[in-house]
Amino acid sequence: MKAVAVDIDGTITDTARKLCPEALKAIRMLESRGIPVILATGNILCYARAASVLIGTSGGIVAENGGVIYADEEVRVLGNIQKALDAYGHLRRLYPVRKVQFSELRVSEVALTREVPEEAIKEALRDFDVEVYDTGFAIHLTDPAVSKGSGLEMVAASMGLDASRIMAIGDSENDIEFLEAAGLKVAVANADPELREVADYVTAAPYGDGVAEAIHKFILKG
């Protein structure tokens, strides 16, 4: 594996979105050995970019579930936010849905708070051209033309890598395409059952401790 791609919320962080020290140490160790780390998240780019700087990652960034990527110092918006806005307008007529904090900064998708169940939202939007993801932190309405998997492939190409040489680590249903695009697929112990099914390896430890476990097992070898 020539690089590692990792989700943020619920993967290198816990349910309170606090960064796991063991994950941080393992990521820093990778970077010190010249193995770049790519961050992939459903969150907005400025959050992901700040996390990248603070954590110390040198790979690109996949944000908004693949709707936005940051590579070669360039931002590319790939998702069509109008699809999500049309779906959101329809939902508002049916349910008291609310956008998450800082939604004005989203440029490719709509993210909702989790008061209304995912299945109800999926049923209401069955005739709309959107993908619905529940990450455990928000429910995302995303352009189905993009995903964290397609974003990873584009970021990898910008780094001169094939995605088959990347280990991807995630926890949620929005990480399915992300793992499928990678050469080595890892789900942390707290991952959704659907993600565990596509993983090559499920860690014994949850959250960031699981990330550190996988990095040491497959990359650092100890």
Side-chain angles (χ1 to χ4, degrees):
M1 296 293 107
K2 298 296 185 180
V4 172
V6 63
D7 171 56
I8 299 179
D9 293 331
T11 301
I12 60 172
T13 76
D14 61 17
T15 54
R17 302 178 76 187
K18 295 179 180 178
L19 181 64
C20 171
E22 292 304 314
L24 175 59
K25 287 192 289 185
I27 289 171
R28 290 275 179 85
M29 195 173 296
L30 286 175
E31 291 282 351
S32 71
R33 297 189 184 186
I35 301 170
V37 175
I38 299 162
L39 297 182
T41 179
N43 220 307
I44 52 180
L45 179 61
C46 59
Y47 169 91
R49 177 58 178 153
S52 173
V53 172
L54 292 170
I55 294 168
T57 63
S58 64
I61 296 170
V62 179
E64 296 191 25
N65 292 303
V68 182
I69 63 170
Y70 178 74
D72 294 328
E73 302 296 321
E74 179 184 355
V75 177
R76 295 182 62 186
V77 178
L78 305 171
N80 181 357
I81 195 171
Q82 192 58 50
K83 294 180 181 181
L85 291 173
D86 290 345
Y88 174 66
H90 176 70
L91 274 177
R92 288 189 63 189
R93 293 190 285 271
L94 301 175
Y95 297 109
V97 290
R98 296 185 298 120
K99 294 181 182 179
V100 299
Q101 190 178 29
F102 304 123
S103 283
E104 68 276 9
L105 300 178
R106 290 187 180 270
V107 295
S108 73
E109 64 163 25
V110 170
L112 307 173
T113 57
R114 299 180 68 245
E115 289 92 349
V116 179
E118 177 190 20
E119 290 307 316
I121 291 175
K122 284 185 173 180
E123 174 61 23
L125 299 180
R126 65 185 184 277
D127 296 325
F128 284 79
D129 188 25
V130 292
E131 190 72 45
V132 179
Y133 296 113
D134 184 355
T135 65
F137 296 88
I139 294 178
H140 298 256
L141 312 181
T142 301
D143 181 352
V146 300
S147 70
K148 287 172 76 170
S150 62
L152 177 62
E153 290 172 343
M154 295 182 71
V155 167
S158 77
M159 297 168 64
L161 295 174
D162 189 279
S164 65
R165 305 303 300 275
I166 296 175
M167 177 172 77
I169 313 172
D171 76 300
S172 188
E173 65 179 61
N174 68 326
D175 292 319
I176 292 175
E177 295 94 341
F178 174 53
L179 263 63
E180 288 176 339
L184 180 57
K185 308 161 179 51
V186 177
V188 287
N190 55 289
D192 288 349
E194 296 89 344
L195 191 70
R196 295 165 69 97
E197 289 180 5
V198 304
D200 298 314
Y201 179 74
V202 179
T203 64
Y207 306 108
D209 289 331
V211 171
E213 174 190 329
I215 289 172
H216 282 284
K217 180 179 178 66
F218 294 109
I219 311 294
L220 300 176
K221 309 293 186 182

